[in-house]
Amino acid sequence: MGSKVADLLYWKDTRTSGVVFTGLMVSLLCLLHFSIVSVTAHVALLLLCGTISLRVYRKVLQAVHRGDGANPFQAYLDVDLTLTREQMERLSQQIASRVVSMAIQLRHFFLVEDLVDSLKLALLFYILTFVGAVFNGLTLLILGVICLFTVPLLYRQHQAQMDQYVGLVNNQLSHIKAKIRAKIPGSGALASAAAAVSGAKAKAE
């Protein structure tokens, strides 16, 4: 699944990526001007018109003795979509694991387990208030889709230069983070205590 998504984003198959990208953009642009109910109904109606037309066309060919009248979508109808008990259990475990991981992260940030991380999240939400005043959610989603289908390809083509700039930015952020931690009372002691605890656990193991 992940490899298929990567192939789409890296435009391995230009035709498939183009169809997916165009479909997403057209759908999102329609949602900018029409309600989601109207867009969903029109897309479903268009899809049904296409499938019904193909089905009727096969029946017409059968009537004039130029075909067997078989359902053109029979191969898809024959696909087994049921899940075995093992697959259900594995899927449930994956979902539960992700939910628990998300809950732990939320607890970490909102219950201020690490003051610097919570401050960074607060700064992010503060910036988003200004972004939300300029763009709505659909506009950001459209920009996100455009970035998904362009940034990975640009990164692959200019990986060396981008890695250099990203390294410089990470170094600057690390220096800023270190300065902030140094100015927060007790942060150094907490870090030392955490290091001591982890070291003790490693020795015990």
Side-chain angles (χ1 to χ4, degrees):
M1 183 65 180
S3 61
K4 292 182 179 179
V5 174
D7 291 343
L8 279 176
L9 299 181
Y10 284 111
W11 295 78
K12 293 289 184 65
D13 186 346
T14 306
R15 182 178 179 180
T16 304
S17 297
V19 169
V20 173
F21 178 69
T22 303
L24 287 173
M25 291 302 298
V26 169
S27 300
L28 293 174
L29 289 173
C30 288
L31 288 174
L32 280 177
H33 302 285
F34 307 101
S35 69
I36 187 171
V37 175
S38 178
V39 172
T40 303
H42 279 85
V43 170
L45 183 61
L46 182 63
L47 181 62
L48 277 172
C49 287
T51 54
I52 291 172
S53 298
L54 284 174
R55 190 77 169 92
V56 171
Y57 176 70
R58 283 293 184 91
K59 287 295 184 181
V60 171
L61 289 179
Q62 183 184 20
V64 296
H65 306 289
R66 292 188 178 181
D68 56 1
N71 192 327
F73 310 106
Q74 191 60 47
Y76 300 101
L77 292 172
D78 292 337
V79 174
D80 186 12
L81 298 179
T82 58
L83 297 176
T84 63
R85 181 182 297 273
E86 291 77 12
Q87 291 174 329
M88 289 291 294
E89 291 178 354
R90 185 167 61 251
L91 183 61
S92 300
Q93 290 175 356
Q94 290 176 352
I95 294 174
S97 176
R98 293 184 180 182
V99 170
V100 170
S101 177
M102 185 181 299
I104 291 173
Q105 287 296 323
L106 291 175
R107 183 183 66 181
H108 172 79
F109 287 116
F110 285 96
L111 298 184
V112 199
E113 184 177 0
D114 188 309
L115 182 57
V116 175
D117 289 342
S118 298
L119 287 174
K120 288 192 292 186
L121 184 64
L123 177 61
L124 174 62
F125 283 129
Y126 181 70
I127 294 172
L128 287 178
T129 59
F130 293 99
V131 175
V134 179
F135 304 103
N136 60 27
L138 277 175
T139 304
L140 292 176
L141 193 56
I142 290 172
L143 293 175
V145 170
I146 293 173
C147 290
L148 277 176
F149 280 87
T150 55
V151 172
L153 189 61
L154 291 175
Y155 176 75
R156 171 168 287 186
Q157 294 175 348
H158 307 282
Q159 184 173 357
Q161 298 90 330
M162 288 187 174
D163 285 344
Q164 181 180 359
Y165 291 124
V166 169
L168 292 174
V169 171
N170 285 334
N171 289 334
Q172 291 297 324
L173 291 176
S174 298
H175 289 309
I176 294 173
K177 185 176 179 179
K179 290 180 180 178
I180 293 175
R181 287 185 181 276
K183 292 182 179 180
I184 296 176
S187 61
L190 289 174
S192 300
V197 171
S198 61
K201 287 183 179 179
K203 290 181 180 179
E205 293 175 355

